Amino acid sequence: MTCRGTPADATVTVAAHGAAAGPVTLEIRAPDGWRPAWTRRTLELPPGGHARIPLTVLPDPGAAPGEHLVRVLAATPEGEFEDALTVTVPGGPVPARLWVRAIGPAVTVAPGARVRVRVRVGSTGIRSALTGTAYLASPYGTWRTAGPAAQPLCVRPDRPAEPSFEIAPPLTTAPGRYWVAVKAACQGRIAYGPPIAVHVTEG
């Protein structure tokens, strides 16, 4: 939603799927200086039931232009779940986005050795920290030579994250050029980095 210094209205929907039921505690975490109409609610859901709760958020008068996240956490007997409401203060970069850039276009490694590939993950026009996961993609048949397959990610608006992944081709790997790429997924936003060449030398 877009907000120009006036209260932003939304609806929080909570649903119990299947036989899941029980108490649900909702918590609102807004940016510093922002004022939600409520910060904590507890409700009881029957199996298959749902509830809709209105939520009004008043932005900080000095909020910077761009996208701000209001996080909604739900603590249930089945675990904790999270969603985020994006509130846009006009005047920021359009479109606001998540991005992935390679730190170096290529790496070289010998069979039996190890090397790390690094990327930088940041955001443009998003004024809140993003949390999510960085995934490593590589061609079929090479998955065991690179890892981890995924790792937690936190992208702050003023400091990009720099996840790294290890490439460790076994001694039987044929020399040649391969590739890996990194995908970042944070609060509904997805970004793909460029392919990074992996040159495997003679053993």
Side-chain angles (χ1 to χ4, degrees):
M1 66 175 58
T2 300
C3 181
R4 293 177 171 82
T6 57
D9 296 320
T11 301
V12 178
T13 302
V14 187
H17 294 281
V24 177
T25 299
L26 297 174
E27 181 181 351
I28 303 299
R29 296 183 183 176
D32 291 342
W34 291 50
R35 291 185 294 166
W38 52 272
T39 58
R40 195 176 183 87
R41 289 277 181 92
T42 300
L43 50 103
E44 193 79 23
L45 286 182
H50 73 278
R52 297 174 184 268
I53 305 100
L55 173 64
T56 298
V57 180
L58 182 63
D60 185 332
E67 293 186 352
H68 301 255
L69 299 186
V70 177
R71 298 171 62 197
V72 183
L73 285 78
T76 78
E78 301 297 322
E80 188 172 273
F81 302 89
E82 178 182 335
D83 202 353
L85 171 68
T86 300
V87 182
T88 301
V89 176
V94 178
R97 63 188 182 93
L98 179 71
W99 49 260
V100 180
R101 298 170 185 163
I103 302 178
V107 294
T108 300
V109 61
R114 299 173 184 269
V115 69
R116 300 196 75 84
V117 295
R118 293 175 170 82
V119 298
R120 186 170 288 117
V121 184
S123 64
T124 299
I126 302 173
R127 304 302 181 182
S128 301
L130 298 172
T131 56
T133 306
Y135 300 92
L136 184 67
S138 63
Y140 178 77
T142 65
W143 299 335
R144 293 184 180 181
T145 69
Q151 58 180 281
L153 188 64
C154 180
V155 181
R156 303 187 184 281
D158 56 348
R159 187 168 70 249
E162 293 190 0
S164 67
F165 298 84
E166 185 175 82
I167 309 297
L171 290 170
T172 55
T173 303
R177 285 192 173 273
Y178 303 84
W179 63 267
V180 296
V182 174
K183 167 188 171 182
C186 299
Q187 265 115 6
R189 297 161 174 83
I190 297 177
Y192 293 87
I196 299 171
V198 178
H199 180 208
V200 179
T201 63
E202 298 281 351

